Amino acid sequence: SELMHKSEIPKFLIAGAEDTLIPIEISRETAKMAGNMTFFEIARIAHMGTFEAKNECQNAITQFAHQYSGNK
């Protein structure tokens, strides 16, 4: 949406490449349109990435949080 695009707040989107509920193409397009968004796509994962690929998601979220908290 326009509001999401205009927002300066950092955003993070995790999407599974095999998601049938929200097709990966929609997630990719959302990430492009959002502005200031980090997009993390996980291969061979469906809609519940945080459960299906817990460690990958945890690492990506931690990196994202460190990027904006000043911790490296």
Side-chain angles (χ1 to χ4, degrees):
S1 80
E2 186 177 336
L3 179 61
M4 186 169 33
H5 181 69
K6 287 182 177 182
S7 172
E8 296 292 325
I9 297 170
K11 296 166 279 301
F12 186 73
L13 176 61
I14 296 174
E18 305 299 321
D19 193 339
T20 57
L21 186 61
I22 302 172
I24 194 64
E25 295 80 13
I26 302 274
S27 296
R28 289 175 185 151
E29 189 61 31
T30 299
K32 285 180 191 173
M33 292 175 20
N36 200 22
M37 178 176 280
T38 299
F39 179 61
F40 183 64
E41 181 177 330
I42 311 170
R44 299 177 309 279
I45 298 299
H47 189 71
M48 300 297 288
T50 54
F51 294 103
E52 297 173 84
K54 181 180 176 181
N55 292 336
E56 286 179 75
C57 290
Q58 184 177 12
N59 290 338
I61 293 167
T62 300
Q63 288 176 3
F64 175 77
H66 285 179
Q67 179 181 352
Y68 290 99
S69 71
N71 295 324
K72 303 290 177 190

